[in-house]
Amino acid sequence: MRKILTSAVVVAVLSATPSLALDVTKTAMVAAPPATVWKTIGEFCGIGNWHPAVEKCVLSEKGGKKVRTLSLRGGGTIVEEQVARDERTMAYTYAILESPLPVEGYKSTLSVAPDGKGSKLTWTGNFKAKGAPDAKAEEVVGGIYEGGLKGISDNAR
């Protein structure tokens, strides 16, 4: 009886434990100088010019922070807030406020760094899966990053 009770307690504790945060990082090499790549990325709403999934980006402000509302091709809307931007290091960080994506507590950074005669793009995110298995949430976010990195690479001139 004691062994059954102990097993039941372990199962209950593990079930109540919040899921661990997930990390996804994607990189791309671009045959253009970092300043050119950073200019291609553009301001916070510049994503509308290079990400293939974004049909339109509308910039607004909330509490002194930039907020972008992304209208996605095929439907859906994502609202994101820029939480930090550093022109010198060519990086910005944002958080998702509203989204149909299977994530919660999402925070991400997009950065550009010198790499030989070109640039290295890095897009990294930290989040928890919501309404989907961890692997599915990681796959969705990874696909978004890969599409965006390709869009930046294709447009950096």
Side-chain angles (χ1 to χ4, degrees), residues 18-144:
S19 63
L20 298 175
L22 305 170
D23 292 302
V24 172
T25 298
K26 298 291 180 179
T27 61
M29 309 315 273
V30 182
T36 300
V37 177
W38 185 241
K39 185 177 177 183
T40 301
I41 291 170
E43 291 299 320
F44 191 47
C45 225
I47 192 170
N49 298 322
W50 49 261
H51 201 294
V54 177
E55 186 172 314
K56 181 173 86 171
C57 181
V58 176
L59 190 64
S60 60
E61 200 170 292
K62 178 181 171 187
K65 295 195 179 199
K66 291 181 180 180
V67 174
R68 65 185 179 195
T69 300
L70 307 175
S71 297
L72 305 176
R73 296 189 196 285
T77 302
I78 300 175
V79 180
E80 300 171 331
E81 176 183 76
Q82 184 172 269
V83 296
R85 185 177 183 95
D86 189 328
E87 297 294 332
R88 188 181 57 75
T89 63
M90 293 182 276
Y92 73 76
T93 301
Y94 65 96
I96 290 179
L97 302 178
E98 300 171 30
S99 165
L101 301 176
V103 300
E104 66 182 359
Y106 176 99
K107 195 172 190 181
S108 182
T109 300
L110 178 59
S111 64
V112 182
D115 186 69
K117 292 183 179 181
S119 303
K120 179 180 182 181
L121 280 165
T122 303
W123 201 340
T124 185
N126 179 272
F127 53 89
K128 290 183 181 177
K130 177 183 172 189
D134 290 356
K136 182 63 177 174
E138 290 172 326
E139 177 187 329
V140 168
V141 170
I144 291 167

